[in-house]
Amino acid sequence: MPSRLDALNRWVDDVARLTRPAAIHWCDGSDAEHAALIARMEADGTLVRLNQATHPGSWLHRSHPDDVARVEHLTFVCTTEREDAGPNNHWMAPAEAHAKMDALFDGCMQGRTMYVIPYCMGPIDSPLSRCGVEITDSPYVVVNMRIMTRMGAPALARIEREDRFVKGLHSTGELDPARRFIMHFPEELTIKSYGSGYGGNALLGKKCHALRIASWQARQEGWLAEHMLIVGIQTPQGKTHYIAAAFPSACGKTNLAMLIPPEGYRRAGWKVWTVGDDICWMRPGADGRLYAINPEAGFFGVAPGTSAKSNPNALATVQANTIFTNVGVTADNQPWWEGLDNGLTPALDWRGEPFDPATRPAAHPNARFTVSARQCPSYSPMAEDPQGVPISAIVFGGRRASLVPLVFQARDWTHGVLVGAAMGSETTAAAAGAVGVLRRDPMAMKPFSGYHFGDYFAHWLAFDRAGAQLPAIFHVNWFRKGEDGKFLWPGFGENLRVLEWMIGRVEGLVGAVETPIGLLPRPQDLDLAGLDLTDAARAALFGFDRDGWRAEFDALAADLATYAPRVPEALLQEHARVRQALG
Ligand code: GTP
Ligand code: SPV
Ligand code: MN
């Protein structure tokens, strides 16, 4: 009798014939397998043992110094029709891309072990979850995938049941940036990644599968795959509102997902529940609301800036069983990064050289921790619910030093989609290239949409149909700066004050003023007690700069035009409405 795994077995055989590994290992996700991989990597220097008294079960990986972030210029979406990938993606014809990649993969695993990793994105028993198999020659990828996904035997059993999975082929190759490509074939549910061992380039379940391939599938099947955190906010009345928020890479998702309420809020009974910190899959439920799952099982979070003050939950989470990538270490081998503020000093920097602040920071700005979500003190039991959580509000936001106020609400869904499409943010160290450059990053999906942004906007608009009970949509900016170049808003835990206003809006309890860009709170609509905001800070955070927004909307018109003719008419009309109101 043919097995349901025939297709998988055939593909594994084909890949082995091409890459010629010395051995093939099917990953079962067991503790014994994990221990053997760790021992092997400690022996060859891939992992450095950290101080086991302070950080039990934790390890340091120092990546190749040219391989420290996603590489958007080397990332391609390979659809049959160039137009389907859209101007938001680099494109290559599928046949050409396969030929190019297969030439790189030819014999690349000689003398190495090829690992076959069956994984499930989302709770193993959820109808919203999807499976994949990653083939890789990197044991570092295996141990990271074990934390980030439901990996091993249960995933293989689901694949056998469903007979459907995303194929991901990865090799670290020579780690030569000139021989590095991350290719997606959404029509074939296939990913090929060569030449990088880093995060989003190599852990194929994450950005490659759960966003680029999944967004393509989601469009066909009527759901959304988004670069969003999911957080539950429990009010003193005991009601929990789930909020999904899209911020670009290194713009605050992990921090908002784990926030600790300010003292007064804690005493009043507010609680925060972490469901996810990076990716959200959501679809309409029978009641018309959007239900969301976190397809991941762990956090691949930014280390620098994480401290007992900014994100105590994250710090508690990474106290054990954590893989740190590209952080510094103290003389007694504790992990260390800028902003940690624990009174210790680094001895070695992320390249393993004696720390010298004149040479480079101790931690790379995109240094990360990989850790199971279950270790997070605020991890929500609802994160394992196969039905997902109902979303009350969607939040868009970016790093905007000027113009954009602390928070505003979209008038309705169509306006909200425009607010998402209009997102802009200053670039960060999460991707190779210049940092601090303002760019348009619609819905924080510029690097991750697997298809044409015009079609993507249309897909978003299509959720507004009879019977839908859609979330309210908001925009935030934690990163507004004053003339001295300092942040005007304290951020982190204090962001709950803004979420409280959103919940008040959802429940119809608090006020707002109409402006052409949306509904803004007056300072008295937010609880600002105990914050010493200057008058100038208040004016900037809660003000509306008509001239600035006119210029912003003119620039937006030009950016939307790049998606013609696929940009939906309704979105252009919404833009025209706002532009006219701006005078
Ligand atoms: P990815 O994992 O790259 O998708 O990023 P992320 O959106 O999860 O970003 P993260 O929460 O890790 O934040 C990245 C950086 O932003 C860190 O240096 C944080 O300290 C900083 N940050 C986060 N929240 C705030 C905030 O409310 N205010 C300010 N000023 N900085 C913040
Ligand atoms: C991001 O860059 O948005 C990340 C890290 O979350 S990576 O997994 O490298 O994509
Ligand atoms: Mn991310």
Side-chain angles (χ1 to χ4, degrees):
M1 201 180 91
S3 154
R4 305 290 296 273
L5 290 177
D6 277 354
L8 172 56
N9 287 323
R10 255 198 319 276
W11 175 58
V12 171
D13 286 348
D14 289 346
V15 169
R17 236 188 323 276
L18 176 66
T19 60
R20 300 199 288 285
I24 300 178
H25 178 92
W26 287 71
C27 298
D28 60 12
S30 65
D31 290 344
E33 174 183 87
H34 180 70
L37 286 167
I38 295 277
R40 183 172 175 168
M41 284 188 279
E42 186 179 16
D44 72 11
T46 304
L47 293 183
V48 176
R49 180 183 291 261
L50 289 168
N51 186 322
Q52 299 295 299
T54 58
H55 291 76
S58 296
W59 302 87
L60 166 66
H61 173 67
R62 296 192 180 107
S63 77
H64 189 286
D66 288 332
D67 187 31
V68 293
R70 286 182 294 99
V71 281
E72 295 176 8
H73 59 297
L74 303 174
T75 299
F76 289 73
V77 170
C78 308
T79 45
T80 308
E81 300 298 328
R82 179 180 202 133
E83 268 306 294
D84 289 339
N88 43 302
N89 281 303
H90 300 295
W91 175 86
M92 199 180 286
E96 186 189 345
H98 279 302
K100 191 179 191 66
M101 297 308 282
D102 291 352
L104 291 170
F105 280 110
D106 192 357
C108 75
M109 296 188 192
Q110 287 175 76
R112 315 186 58 166
T113 299
M114 177 176 116
Y115 300 94
V116 182
I117 314 171
Y119 64 86
C120 180
M121 300 309 291
I124 203 93
D125 54 349
S126 170
L128 283 76
S129 299
R130 295 300 160 97
C131 290
V133 177
E134 174 165 0
I135 298 178
T136 179
D137 55 8
S138 163
Y140 168 81
V141 165
V142 178
V143 294
N144 275 273
M145 286 289 284
R146 183 171 187 258
I147 296 172
M148 296 304 297
T149 72
R150 279 89 171 168
M151 178 268 254
L156 187 62
R158 179 163 171 166
I159 290 168
E160 187 161 16
R161 247 188 351 264
E162 289 183 339
D163 200 19
R164 184 172 70 147
F165 62 96
V166 169
K167 295 188 183 94
L169 173 54
H170 168 255
S171 171
T172 48
E174 306 79 15
L175 297 176
D176 174 0
R179 287 163 59 81
R180 178 177 297 161
F181 294 99
I182 325 295
M183 299 278 189
H184 304 74
F185 305 87
E187 292 150 338
E188 305 164 41
L189 304 186
T190 294
I191 304 152
K192 292 186 179 178
S193 165
Y194 188 91
S196 167
Y198 196 86
N201 301 329
L203 311 177
L204 301 186
K206 197 172 177 55
K207 297 301 169 38
C208 300
H209 177 166
L211 288 179
R212 297 194 191 94
I213 300 287
S215 63
W216 174 280
Q217 290 182 294
R219 177 177 174 232
Q220 291 176 332
E221 299 169 8
W223 49 286
L224 290 166
E226 299 298 327
H227 192 206
M228 292 179 177
L229 68 92
I230 309 167
V231 66
I233 307 291
Q234 186 179 328
T235 67
Q237 291 73 41
K239 169 137 182 70
T240 301
H241 283 281
Y242 293 93
I243 295 177
F247 309 151
S249 302
C251 290
K253 291 184 299 301
T254 303
N255 280 271
L256 193 69
M258 296 180 190
L259 82 79
I260 292 200
E263 177 61 30
Y265 280 77
R266 266 203 306 278
R267 257 185 285 122
W270 290 83
K271 285 205 178 73
V272 173
W273 299 101
T274 306
V275 178
D277 83 326
D278 197 48
I279 301 180
C280 165
W281 287 357
M282 56 190 162
R283 67 164 46 169
D287 60 359
R289 300 187 72 186
L290 289 183
Y291 283 78
I293 61 164
N294 170 15
E296 301 191 282
F299 308 126
F300 184 63
V302 176
T306 305
S307 72
K309 189 158 172 289
S310 67
N311 194 345
N313 273 326
L315 206 58
T317 307
V318 303
Q319 223 45 54
N321 311 314
T322 302
I323 300 169
F324 294 91
T325 300
N326 293 341
V327 299
V329 287
T330 63
D332 67 346
N333 258 323
Q334 298 189 48
W336 198 93
W337 50 83
E338 278 65 24
L340 178 57
D341 284 342
N342 64 351
L344 303 178
T345 47
L348 301 181
D349 66 24
W350 63 275
R351 294 180 65 164
E353 293 169 14
F355 172 62
D356 174 3
T359 310
R360 65 178 75 93
H364 186 277
N366 192 36
R368 300 250 167 186
F369 51 76
T370 319
V371 68
S372 168
R374 289 215 176 84
Q375 290 189 189
C376 180
S378 57
Y379 191 50
S380 167
M382 289 297 286
E384 304 291 333
D385 190 309
Q387 300 310 318
V389 295
I391 298 298
S392 296
I394 288 174
V395 183
F396 295 118
R399 269 179 200 268
R400 295 294 299 258
S402 59
L403 182 66
V404 181
L406 179 63
V407 59
F408 61 92
Q409 182 181 1
R411 277 181 297 277
D412 55 26
W413 185 259
T414 301
H415 181 224
V417 173
L418 180 69
V419 168
M423 267 173 65
S425 197
E426 291 141 25
T427 52
T428 67
V435 168
V437 180
L438 184 63
R439 72 163 179 182
R440 191 81 55 200
D441 188 352
M443 277 90 165
M445 284 288 278
K446 169 73 186 66
F448 308 120
S449 174
Y451 63 101
H452 195 298
F453 260 155
D455 296 334
Y456 174 74
F457 300 146
H459 182 51
W460 264 84
L461 291 174
F463 283 83
D464 189 6
R465 55 174 169 255
Q469 299 284 329
L470 293 167
I473 297 181
F474 298 86
H475 190 284
V476 299
N477 178 22
W478 313 141
F479 299 94
R480 186 75 183 255
K481 287 182 177 168
E483 301 206 318
D484 58 0
K486 295 210 177 103
F487 293 121
L488 292 177
W489 177 249
F492 302 102
E494 308 296 344
N495 292 334
L496 184 57
R497 298 169 189 270
V498 176
L499 300 184
E500 180 188 21
W501 179 73
M502 292 177 190
I503 289 170
R505 293 296 301 162
V506 167
E507 293 187 340
L509 300 175
V510 292
V513 283
E514 282 264 10
T515 76
I517 61 162
L519 301 148
L520 264 73
R522 298 156 300 177
Q524 65 265 33
D525 293 320
L526 253 76
D527 178 356
L528 300 176
L531 299 182
D532 52 352
L533 297 176
T534 61
D535 288 345
R538 275 172 204 254
L541 292 167
F542 297 97
F544 158 65
D545 165 8
R546 185 178 291 272
D547 291 343
W549 278 103
R550 222 182 265 132
E552 177 82 5
F553 265 72
D554 288 342
L556 176 59
D559 289 343
L560 290 178
T562 62
Y563 302 113
R566 296 201 186 191
V567 57
E569 193 50 39
L571 199 69
L572 296 176
Q573 279 169 14
E574 189 65 26
H575 175 276
R577 232 188 317 273
V578 177
R579 180 62 189 84
Q580 193 175 22
L582 285 165

